[in-house]
Amino acid sequence: MPRSTRRRPALAHPEPEQIDLFDVLHALSDPTRMTIVSVLRAEPERVCGTFPVNVAPSTLSHHFKVLREAGLIRQREEGNRRFSALRAVDLEQRFPGLLDSVLAAHGRAAEETQEAQEAEEDGGA
């Protein structure tokens, strides 16, 4: 049976001036999405299925959609793979310093959580 020649619809990305602060903050309020954004801050582009998150593929697709529609990431398709990249320049122009501040706060919170877990493990041994 021949493969379908139908193409998937084009991915929607808001223009930089359409990026809304509340949509960005909502997108960044989820730990899985923060992990995705943190990874993309360190790497220019990454294949969608290679992020260090422990969620079902359908859930991961939802997280990418939220990030894309909020204007945080840009995605492109190459064959059957989808690549994601952080729209750092657009975000910095629209909301100067916001992304760095949120990522720094997230990093501090992650460190505090790790330290608390280690202290609990040391105290329970």
Side-chain angles (χ1 to χ4, degrees):
M1 176 177 265
R3 290 186 63 173
S4 172
T5 58
R6 281 188 303 163
R7 298 186 67 93
R8 291 194 278 193
L11 298 170
H13 299 91
E15 294 298 322
E17 63 275 3
Q18 295 173 320
I19 298 174
D20 181 78
L21 177 62
F22 295 110
D23 291 340
V24 169
L25 293 174
H26 167 73
L28 294 173
S29 69
D30 182 89
T32 298
R33 294 192 289 264
M34 280 302 302
T35 297
I36 293 167
V37 169
S38 296
V39 168
L40 289 174
R41 186 63 160 175
E43 298 179 29
E45 188 174 58
R46 192 167 181 150
V47 175
C48 290
T50 64
F51 286 83
V53 294
N54 190 21
V55 297
S58 60
T59 303
L60 187 57
S61 293
H62 167 74
H63 287 304
F64 284 121
K65 180 180 178 185
V66 171
L67 290 168
R68 186 180 65 247
E69 290 180 350
L72 282 153
I73 64 172
R74 183 166 301 282
Q75 292 185 302
R76 68 177 180 85
E77 293 179 334
E78 186 175 294
N80 63 351
R81 298 188 310 176
R82 186 173 284 179
F83 292 82
S84 295
L86 188 63
R87 295 178 64 179
V89 173
D90 291 340
L91 291 163
E92 185 61 26
Q93 289 176 347
R94 185 86 168 115
F95 308 111
L98 175 69
L99 191 58
D100 288 337
S101 295
V102 171
L103 286 170
H106 179 260
R108 285 190 301 274
E111 287 175 10
E112 290 172 4
T113 300
Q114 181 67 29
E115 289 171 2
Q117 288 173 345
E118 289 172 1
E120 186 175 300
E121 289 172 3
D122 290 342

